[in-house]
Amino acid sequence: MSEEIKFIYKRGTQITPEEIAMIEAASAMPAEYDEDNPEIDPIKTPELYAALVQAVAERNQRISKRQA
């Protein structure tokens, strides 16, 4: 595994040339998909997409009941 790098941006802070190079290198890397957490796409995975829509609807109902 690679080293995890964390950065907290503070407003007004300048990004260093090394950080810019790191961002550009990362943007050129291919996307890695997690097998345990597949992409939710209505065309490729309609069952997962339907479950997501249902979960969001239930969450929104719970939130609206709390606010009422």
Side-chain angles (χ1 to χ4, degrees), residues 16-34:
T16 66
E18 293 84 16
E19 291 168 337
I20 292 172
M22 190 169 37
I23 292 168
E24 289 173 348
S27 68
M29 297 175 82
E32 292 185 23
Y33 295 100
D34 185 0

Side-chain angles (χ1 to χ4, degrees), residues 13-59:
T13 304
Q14 292 294 324
I15 297 176
T16 66
E18 293 84 16
E19 291 168 337
I20 292 172
M22 190 169 37
I23 292 168
E24 289 173 348
S27 68
M29 297 175 82
E32 292 185 23
Y33 295 100
D34 185 0
E35 294 175 3
D36 294 333
N37 189 15
E39 180 181 4
I40 298 177
D41 184 285
I43 305 298
K44 295 178 184 175
T45 55
E47 303 86 15
L48 285 175
Y49 185 77
L52 171 70
V53 170
Q54 179 65 33
V56 169
E58 291 172 5
R59 181 206 59 194

